[in-house]
């Protein structure tokens, strides 16, 4: 009898153990906590634990078992099917699940269904799948963003027809834009390695009062990886490496995370090396020599070559390679249950970065510059964020962020036939403090109030140098003398200070609608002093500009059913002229920009409507967002009819001035969803149009119609993706010729004898590319990824770019976590 009883207990135990179900996320494989498991008549109901497990032995063999979670599609099955699947179920995540969190709109976590603004969020998984060489390449994958490149070591994102100092860059809550962020094309977006990003969020348009000046086109917010504490001491390490053929890329990242009960640390070091870029060879556009590099300068490092060198392979874009190092160090220290502190240290530096478009510039049929490069681009950030949760009526939680940034950049140039090398060195010290707070006004948190302040101070130094190089055996061995050079910015020093306060209010009017409102008051003060006026003569040698503005936003979200979301936003934005707008001196294509100390702020008034529809239990979605932005007192560059001698050559004088009215309008249509358990697809199309109302000219920085479509297949450990990108033609008549920002002279020449540029140049030809990507997860800790981009090796240039896009590229990457 004892043996029978023992056997019964053993069988029962085994049977019971075999009826422990495990519920996991289909895409990432992690356990799904809080999934409800019940039968049709609801007589039995259980919940999965932290490990995604639950005991289903109470269900009968005839029960239809339903597994449900708010973030996933429902799954129905029987006990026999569960047994055949070894009691392991994978749930499909909904396209946009109800509890999706967006951080950047209000600087605290908020449900996406309560947000009226158009936003896009890229997770760590998205970033790894895209496997971009730089953060600029990452942004180019985002619906609605176009990226311009003057050289390979750069990338200027365009949002809603605006770029550079009209787009705000933020990292970990700290404003990256500074007093010398320029109008035109900006390359600072690459100073963060994509291997160190946890998340990137984009807010389109001037609709967020949290950020204020510079955010006319939108906000790009980078969130770097952050450590976590643990009850038991834990050490995690990571390794990532990628190689690419099109520019001999080698990228390596190593990281270590230390988790302790009372503190945590995360350390990451990333290094990337890029050689000269190979352009595509298939010229379906019909222009046989467009973009070819027939000659180049070998004057890099200490080399001295008196004349241009013939390029043995004109499809290789000589003088495009560079390297970059990024270091991230973070500490997280919970001081109490309601207070913690984050210490954030970041450092990015590069080698010299050749300015490819300037090194391709011709004078009398030969290369003009022997040397033209950016010196090492250095960015240092030290920030401390104190997070508090006092749970008071007037303050539930909030944070103070104190930061210091040091930015160094320089421009170095020398012409063929000359030993005079010109240096223009800039350094910016930025001090800032932010306070961001939130409090729910009702117990159900349907009414939320946010408020805060921001103070930023920029100290700018601009130091020009002229040195005569000394040559021996075709090497630069030193200097034989010095000479005076015009500084890029005021040589007596400059400062730019911004102070702001804001408040934001959100209320669920009912179960189907949410109201978003906000107001911000911003004050700016720009001061500068010129000492040396031997090259230019100014009416005043000092700048003291003070500006202030109140900006507003009003947003409304309507959700008639769980499968519909309709949002609308009316907002205003303003951008106060910075030092680059007011006080810069520089030359481009024979035009010399001189200061205009009477420049005023520009204002944007925007309206947008968005619609999103979900299908098939929210596994598929269609979205459409359209907008119209009216610009008042917009800043543009215009010739004043005079000339000046600059760097030894005669140039036409241009200045930044205020014009009256312009508009930008456009739309983005997108879709995303699963076709079945294994297949999913996504895509978008973006259209933008901009014109001045006063002068009836096209606006600068308006990209042509562009888009991307992809389809992917995933089963078990393998994921395969095919992608298609396209760019419509931008006709020369839709370029802003006078301002020159669109680089129309980089487009194909159709009539070299034409007098007017509209008759001489073609514009940007249309192009398409295909790509393939494959990923294999060996286990939870090791992944191999391979890709080929520009599969058919098409030659093309991105709109307004000075460099041809990469040709066919094969890359292989590995990621290991320990």
């Amino acid at each position: 009898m004892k043996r029978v009883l023992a056997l019964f207990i053993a069988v029962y135990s085994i049977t019971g153990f075999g009826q422990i179900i495990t519920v996991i996320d289909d895409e990432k494989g992690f356990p799904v906590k809080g999934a409800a498991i019940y039968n049709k008549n609801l007589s039995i109901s259980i919940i999965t634990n932290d490990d995604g497990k639950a005991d289903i032995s109470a269900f009968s063999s005839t029960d239809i078992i339903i597994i449900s979670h708010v973030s996933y599609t429902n799954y129905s099955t029987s006990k026999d099917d569960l047994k055949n699947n070894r009691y392991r179920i994978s749930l499909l995540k909904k396209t946009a699940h109800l509890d999706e969190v967006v951080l950047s709109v209000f600087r605290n976590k908020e449900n996406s269904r309560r947000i009226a603004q158009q936003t896009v969020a890229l997770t760590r998984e998205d970033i790894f799948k895209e496997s971009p060489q730089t953060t600029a390449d990452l942004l180019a994958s985002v619906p609605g963003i176009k990226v311009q490149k003057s050289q390979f070591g750069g990338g200027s994102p365009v949002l809603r027809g605006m770029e550079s100092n009209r787009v705000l860059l933020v990292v970990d809550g700290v404003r990256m834009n500074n007093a010398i962020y320029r109008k035109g094309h900006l390359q600072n977006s690459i100073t963060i390695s994509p291997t160190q990003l946890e998340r990137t969020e984009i807010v389109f348009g001037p609709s967020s009062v949290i950020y204020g000046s510079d955010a006319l086109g939108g906000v790009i917010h980078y969130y770097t990886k952050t450590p976590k504490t643990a009850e038991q001491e834990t050490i995690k390490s990571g390794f990532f490496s990628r190689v690419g053929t099109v520019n001999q890329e080698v990228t390596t990242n190593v990281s270590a995370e230390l988790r302790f009960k009372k503190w945590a640390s995360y350390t990451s070091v990333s290094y990337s090396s890029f050689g000269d870029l190979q352009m595509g060879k298939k010229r379906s556009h019909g222009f046989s020599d467009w973009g070819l590099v027939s000659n180049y300068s070998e004057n890099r490092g200490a080399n001295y070559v008196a004349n241009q060198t013939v390029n043995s392979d004109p499809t290789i874009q000589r003088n495009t390679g560079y390297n970059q190092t990024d270091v991230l160090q973070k500490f997280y220290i919970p001081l109490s249950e309601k207070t913690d502190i984050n210490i954030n240290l970041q450092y990015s530096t590069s080698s010299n970065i050749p300015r490819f478009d300037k090194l391709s510039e011709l004078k009398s049929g030969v290369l003009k510059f022997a040397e033209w490069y950016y010196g090492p681009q250095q960015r240092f950030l030290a920030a401390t964020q104190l997070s508090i949760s006092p749970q008071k009526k007037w303050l539930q939680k909030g944070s103070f962020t104190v930061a210091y940034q040091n930015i160094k950049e320089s421009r170095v140039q020398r012409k063929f036939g000359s030993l005079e090398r010109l240096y223009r060195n800039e350094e910016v010290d930025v001090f800032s403090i932010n306070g961001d707070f939130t409090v729910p006004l009702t117990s159900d948190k349907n009414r939320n109030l946010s408020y805060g302040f921001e103070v930023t101070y920029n100290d700018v130094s601009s130091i020009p140098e002229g040195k005569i190089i000394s040559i021996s055996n075709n090497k630069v061995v030193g200097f034989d003398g010095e000479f005076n050079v015009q500084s890029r910015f005021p040589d007596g020093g400059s400062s730019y200070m911004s102070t702001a306060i804001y408040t934001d209010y959100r209320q669920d009017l009912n179960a189907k609608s949410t109201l978003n409102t906000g107001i911000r008051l911003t004050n700016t003060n720009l001061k500068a002093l010129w000492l040396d006026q031997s090259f230019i003569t100014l009416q005043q040698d000092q700048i003291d500009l003070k500006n202030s503005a109140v900006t507003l936003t009003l947003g409304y979200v309507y959700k008639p059913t769980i499968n519909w979301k309709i949002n609308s936003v009316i907002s205003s934005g303003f951008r106060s002229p910075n030092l680059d707008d007011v006080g810069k001196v520089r030359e481009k294509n024979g035009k010399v920009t001189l200061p205009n100390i009477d420049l005023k702020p520009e204002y944007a008034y925007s309206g947008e409507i968005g619609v999103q529809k979900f299908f098939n239990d929210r596994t598929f979605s269609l979205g459409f967002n359209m907008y119209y932005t009216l610009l008042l007192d917009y800043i543009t560059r215009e010739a004043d009819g005079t000339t000046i001698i600059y760097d030894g050559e005669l140039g036409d004088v241009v200045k930044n001035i205020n014009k009256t009215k312009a508009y930008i309008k456009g739309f983005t249509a997108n879709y995303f969803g699963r076709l079945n358990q294994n297949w999913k697809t996504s895509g978008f199309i973006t259209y933008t149009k901009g014109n001045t109302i006063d002068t009836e000219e096209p606006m600068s920085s308006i990209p042509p119609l562009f888009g991307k479509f992809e389809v992917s297949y995933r089963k078990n450990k393998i994921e395969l993706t095919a992608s298609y990108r396209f760019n419509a033609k931008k006709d020369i008549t839709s370029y802003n010729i006078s301002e020159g920002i669109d680089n129309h002279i980089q487009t194909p020449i159709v009539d070299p004898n034409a007098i007017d540029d509209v008759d001489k140049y073609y514009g940007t030809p249309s192009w398409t590319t295909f790509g393939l990507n494959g990923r294999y997860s060996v286990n939870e800790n090791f992944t191999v990824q391979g890709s080929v981009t520009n599969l058919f090796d098409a030659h093309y240039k991105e709109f307004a770019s000075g460099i041809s896009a990469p040709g066919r590229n094969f890359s292989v990457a590995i990621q290991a976590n320990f």
Side-chain angles (χ1 to χ4, degrees):
M1 185 64 184
K2 290 183 178 180
R3 291 181 180 180
V4 174
L5 182 60
L7 180 61
F8 174 80
I9 294 173
V11 171
Y12 180 83
S13 300
I14 293 172
T15 304
F17 178 79
Q19 291 185 337
I20 299 295
I21 188 175
T22 302
V23 182
I24 63 172
D25 178 278
D26 175 72
E27 188 166 346
K28 299 181 180 178
F30 57 71
V32 177
K33 173 187 176 182
I37 304 173
Y38 53 89
N39 57 5
K40 276 194 170 183
N41 60 15
L42 300 180
S43 61
I44 304 174
S45 178
I46 56 176
I47 301 293
T48 57
N49 62 17
D50 291 347
D51 298 320
K53 297 181 181 297
D55 187 349
I56 60 168
S57 57
F59 292 89
S60 71
S61 59
T62 59
D63 277 334
I64 297 298
I65 300 175
I66 301 168
I67 305 171
S68 176
H69 190 281
V70 68
S71 299
Y72 298 86
T73 60
N74 287 352
Y75 188 98
S76 298
T77 185
S78 66
K79 250 192 174 182
D80 287 341
D81 287 340
L82 284 175
K83 184 177 180 181
N84 293 335
N85 288 327
R86 298 181 180 180
Y87 296 99
R88 190 175 179 89
I89 294 299
S90 299
L91 293 186
L92 296 177
K93 183 166 284 189
K94 294 177 180 177
T95 302
H97 49 83
L98 298 178
D99 61 348
E100 184 178 18
V101 170
V102 176
L103 304 175
S104 53
V105 176
F106 305 113
R107 285 198 173 176
N108 61 74
K109 296 180 180 180
E110 184 54 88
N111 192 302
S112 62
R113 289 177 61 81
R114 300 185 72 205
I115 296 174
Q117 290 86 346
Q118 180 191 1
T119 62
V120 174
L122 300 176
T123 65
R124 182 193 296 203
E125 182 76 11
D126 298 326
I127 296 169
F128 176 69
K129 179 182 176 181
E130 190 65 30
S131 194
Q133 291 190 343
T134 68
T135 44
D137 296 332
L138 172 67
L139 295 175
S141 69
V142 175
I145 295 184
K146 175 62 69 175
V147 173
Q148 179 275 349
K149 291 188 178 184
S150 298
Q151 68 281 333
F152 184 69
S156 184
V158 182
L159 280 70
R160 293 190 174 180
M162 301 189 197
E163 65 174 314
S164 55
N165 56 19
R166 286 174 172 164
V167 173
L168 180 62
L169 302 181
V170 181
V171 57
D172 294 329
V174 179
R175 174 188 294 262
M176 294 178 65
N177 289 43
N178 58 56
I180 64 172
Y181 265 40
R182 59 185 178 274
K183 190 178 189 297
H185 308 304
L186 197 65
Q187 315 305 327
N188 300 69
S189 65
I190 69 168
T191 59
I192 301 172
S193 171
T195 62
Q196 296 172 342
L197 292 177
E198 177 68 30
R199 185 178 178 90
T200 299
E201 293 186 358
I202 298 93
V203 183
F204 290 87
S207 54
S208 179
V209 299
I210 303 297
Y211 297 100
S213 184
D214 300 336
L216 298 186
V219 180
I220 298 172
H221 199 145
Y222 300 112
Y223 294 91
T224 58
K225 296 175 181 177
T226 300
K228 300 177 181 178
T229 56
E231 289 297 320
Q232 295 183 344
E233 295 183 3
T234 306
I235 298 177
K236 292 179 172 288
S237 60
F239 175 81
F240 173 85
S241 184
R242 181 181 57 239
V243 294
T245 59
V246 76
N247 55 359
Q248 306 86 50
E249 179 209 8
V250 178
T251 292
T252 302
N253 173 269
V254 292
S255 62
E257 182 179 1
L258 307 179
R259 296 182 177 181
F260 302 97
K261 187 175 183 178
K262 295 185 177 181
W263 65 281
S265 167
Y266 179 79
T267 306
S268 174
V269 179
S270 181
Y271 175 80
S272 294
S273 174
F274 306 103
D276 288 334
L277 183 65
Q278 173 84 58
M279 69 179 72
K281 297 180 180 180
K282 304 298 182 183
R283 296 177 166 265
S284 60
H285 47 62
F287 298 100
S288 58
D289 59 353
W290 177 45
L292 292 178
V293 182
S294 301
N295 302 284
Y296 69 100
S297 172
E298 291 189 275
N299 292 270
R300 293 192 70 172
N303 290 337
Y304 176 80
V305 180
N307 300 301
Q308 65 185 24
T309 301
V310 176
N311 190 0
S312 59
D313 184 352
T315 65
I316 296 178
Q317 300 175 94
R318 307 290 182 183
N319 295 316
T320 52
Y322 74 103
N323 62 67
Q324 180 171 321
T325 302
D326 297 275
V327 180
L328 171 66
Q329 174 63 61
K330 279 188 170 181
F331 296 99
Y332 170 66
I333 306 171
L335 302 178
S336 67
E337 291 183 0
K338 297 183 177 181
T339 308
D340 58 59
I341 190 168
N342 282 277
I343 300 173
N344 189 349
L345 302 174
Q346 300 177 21
Y347 178 70
S348 176
T349 187
S350 69
S351 63
N352 293 334
I353 300 178
R355 177 72 183 265
F356 178 78
D357 60 336
K358 300 296 289 186
L359 289 170
S360 302
E361 189 174 329
L362 300 178
K363 181 180 181 180
S364 301
V366 296
L367 294 180
K368 179 178 180 179
F369 290 101
E371 300 176 70
W372 212 120
Y373 58 87
Y374 294 109
Q377 187 167 269
Q378 299 180 359
R379 181 184 67 90
F380 172 74
L381 165 68
T384 299
Q385 185 178 77
L386 178 68
S387 299
I388 57 175
S389 300
Q391 305 295 321
K392 302 293 185 180
K393 289 184 178 180
W394 54 275
L395 174 59
Q396 183 191 51
K397 62 180 180 178
S399 65
F400 294 93
T401 305
V402 180
Y404 166 73
Q405 297 178 79
N406 177 262
I407 298 95
K408 295 178 181 178
E409 58 182 53
S410 60
R411 294 161 178 82
V412 182
Q413 65 186 69
R414 181 177 64 83
K415 300 173 184 175
F416 274 112
S418 173
L419 298 179
E420 295 183 346
R421 183 186 286 169
L422 289 70
Y423 299 80
R424 291 182 171 93
N425 306 300
E426 274 71 55
E427 182 172 2
V428 185
D429 292 301
V430 185
F431 305 86
S432 64
I433 179 170
N434 295 67
D436 302 286
F437 314 102
T438 184
V439 57
L441 302 181
T442 56
S443 59
D444 58 7
K445 298 185 179 181
N446 285 336
R447 296 169 56 203
N448 300 87
L449 178 69
S450 299
Y451 56 95
F453 68 90
E454 178 185 67
V455 179
T456 304
Y457 179 81
N458 291 240
D459 182 72
V460 183
S461 64
S462 184
I463 302 174
E465 294 180 281
K467 296 182 179 182
I468 302 173
I469 61 174
S470 176
I471 307 301
S472 177
N473 296 324
N474 295 323
K475 296 290 183 182
V476 178
V477 295
F479 302 99
D480 286 334
E482 298 181 350
F483 58 95
N484 290 333
V485 174
Q486 170 63 47
S487 63
R488 183 176 175 88
F489 299 111
D491 57 336
S494 311
S495 66
Y496 181 82
M497 186 170 184
S498 172
T499 59
I501 56 174
Y502 75 88
T503 184
D504 186 276
Y505 175 73
R506 301 179 301 287
Q507 179 179 349
D508 293 331
L509 301 178
N510 52 51
K512 294 183 177 182
S513 59
T514 302
L515 178 70
N516 294 181
T517 62
I519 184 171
R520 180 185 179 100
L521 171 64
T522 304
N523 292 286
T524 65
N525 187 6
L526 172 64
K527 295 183 178 181
L529 174 65
W530 280 275
L531 299 176
D532 184 2
Q533 295 196 43
S534 57
F535 295 96
I536 60 172
T537 301
L538 302 172
Q539 294 180 348
Q540 298 180 11
D541 60 0
Q542 296 185 46
I543 300 175
D544 190 357
L545 295 180
K546 297 179 180 179
N547 294 300
S548 61
V550 175
T551 55
L552 303 164
T553 185
L554 175 64
Y556 179 73
V557 181
Y558 178 58
K559 307 172 286 289
T561 70
I562 193 173
N563 292 321
W564 281 93
K565 177 184 175 182
I566 303 171
N567 57 281
S568 60
V569 182
I570 299 174
S571 59
S572 64
F574 111 109
R575 190 179 73 83
S576 184
N578 65 10
L579 183 62
D580 187 271
D581 296 308
V582 176
K584 178 175 66 178
V585 180
R586 70 100 185 235
E587 180 274 338
K588 181 182 180 183
N589 299 326
K591 297 181 179 180
V592 181
T593 302
L594 293 187
N596 177 11
I597 61 176
D598 296 320
L599 205 61
K600 299 182 296 183
E602 55 184 356
Y603 298 86
Y605 300 91
S606 182
E608 65 179 90
I609 296 175
V611 179
Q612 193 169 25
K613 175 70 169 73
F614 300 95
F615 302 89
N616 195 21
D617 199 17
R618 297 176 63 85
T619 61
F620 199 96
S621 72
L622 293 176
F624 182 83
N625 188 281
M626 62 183 298
Y627 65 91
Y628 181 93
T629 301
L630 177 66
L631 294 169
L632 300 183
D633 295 330
Y634 69 95
I635 297 174
T636 187
R637 196 176 298 151
E638 186 173 83
D640 71 354
T642 64
T643 59
I644 192 174
I645 299 295
Y646 180 83
D647 289 349
E649 294 186 0
L650 184 67
D652 297 320
V653 172
V654 297
K655 294 181 179 179
N656 286 325
I657 63 170
N658 293 100
K659 287 293 188 71
T660 55
K661 294 180 182 180
Y663 73 86
I664 301 174
K665 63 181 180 180
F667 69 81
T668 293
N670 63 82
Y671 71 90
F672 175 84
R674 289 186 177 273
L675 302 176
N676 57 34
Q677 179 84 13
N678 304 111
W679 290 89
K680 64 182 179 181
T681 181
S682 64
F684 73 89
I685 296 177
T686 295
Y687 169 80
T688 313
K689 180 178 176 60
N691 272 85
T692 62
I693 298 175
D694 46 10
T695 61
E696 298 183 344
E697 291 180 280
M699 288 284 287
S700 297
S701 302
I702 305 298
L705 181 77
F706 67 97
K708 179 182 179 181
F709 303 97
E710 70 176 33
V711 60
S712 62
Y713 172 82
R714 184 178 186 275
K715 187 172 183 179
N716 299 327
K717 297 182 178 182
I718 297 176
E719 183 173 3
L720 303 174
T721 302
S723 62
Y724 167 77
R725 296 177 61 212
F726 76 92
N727 204 100
K729 176 188 175 182
K730 184 175 175 71
D731 192 82
I732 191 64
T733 58
S734 62
Y735 276 73
N736 184 302
I737 302 295
S738 59
E739 197 169 17
I741 289 176
D742 289 346
N743 289 328
H744 65 278
I745 64 173
Q746 295 288 344
T747 70
I749 297 175
V750 293
D751 185 357
N753 298 317
I755 297 175
D756 294 332
D757 283 357
V758 173
D759 299 319
K760 183 176 182 179
Y761 296 98
Y762 177 81
T764 302
S766 63
W767 54 264
T768 61
T769 66
F770 294 85
L772 299 173
N773 182 292
R775 180 170 52 168
Y776 178 71
S777 300
V778 180
N779 53 44
E780 293 182 358
N781 299 318
F782 192 83
T783 303
V784 180
Q785 181 168 296
S787 68
V788 53
T789 54
N790 196 357
L791 179 64
F792 298 113
D793 204 26
H795 175 265
Y796 66 97
K797 285 188 179 183
E798 291 279 9
F799 163 66
S801 295
I803 189 172
S804 295
R808 183 188 296 117
N809 182 44
F810 296 93
S811 69
V812 177
I814 59 172
Q815 178 171 283
N817 298 302
F818 308 100

